[in-house]
Amino acid sequence: MRLSVVLGFCLFASFVAAGELKPFTSDGCSAFPEGTRSQKELWLHCCTEHDRAYWRGGTYKQRWIADEQLRNCVANAGEEEIAQLMLAGVRVGGSPFWPTDFRWGYGWDYPSLLRSAYAGRVSRN
């Protein structure tokens, strides 16, 4: 019973405490290479755009679209296999449930599970 009260309070607090969106930051492709040995930043621009979407956060559908755009961008750079690996990585590692600096909605204080209502109001910076 006590655990459900604590969890309920945490969930309520994440609804109420919208906080402020922090300034945009990007770590490139996080823990993944940003290109090939010969073209070291081949898909870095794909990761930066993907970071912009992840920083802002939003709905599950918006996250799915951002991840597909990353996959398409890397594939268009000529690296289809890498694109598939990156898609798998961001689907698992980018969950809003992880307390990381690269999770979905990382521009908001953690936990940011319920920020989708606010994310739509934020302009593209």
Side-chain angles (χ1 to χ4, degrees):
M1 175 66 180
R2 289 182 191 174
L3 180 59
S4 8
V5 170
V6 170
L7 290 175
F9 178 76
C10 290
L11 185 61
F12 176 75
S14 67
F15 263 119
V16 174
E20 294 290 322
L21 184 63
K22 299 172 192 163
F24 174 69
T25 59
S26 174
D27 64 357
C29 296
S30 299
F32 202 84
E34 296 170 348
T36 63
R37 289 184 191 185
S38 61
Q39 294 178 284
K40 299 208 182 295
E41 296 182 350
L42 181 59
W43 53 77
L44 174 59
H45 66 284
C46 304
C47 296
T48 303
E49 280 307 306
H50 186 253
D51 282 355
R52 190 171 297 282
Y54 264 58
W55 161 76
R56 188 173 39 253
T59 65
Y60 178 85
K61 183 177 180 180
Q62 289 170 317
R63 179 173 173 231
W64 185 259
I65 290 168
D67 292 345
E68 281 295 315
Q69 288 173 336
L70 173 67
R71 190 197 65 76
N72 291 338
C73 185
V74 175
N76 289 338
E79 298 293 336
E80 181 63 39
E81 294 83 13
I82 298 294
Q84 293 298 339
L85 282 172
M86 291 176 85
L87 178 61
V90 297
R91 291 308 300 163
V92 173
S95 169
F97 298 102
W98 302 122
T100 63
D101 293 337
F102 49 83
R103 73 181 187 282
W104 180 249
Y106 71 83
W108 303 97
D109 287 334
Y110 183 83
S112 61
L113 306 177
L114 304 170
R115 297 291 192 266
S116 60
Y118 302 97
R121 300 180 194 161
V122 176
S123 65
R124 294 189 82 133
N125 290 329

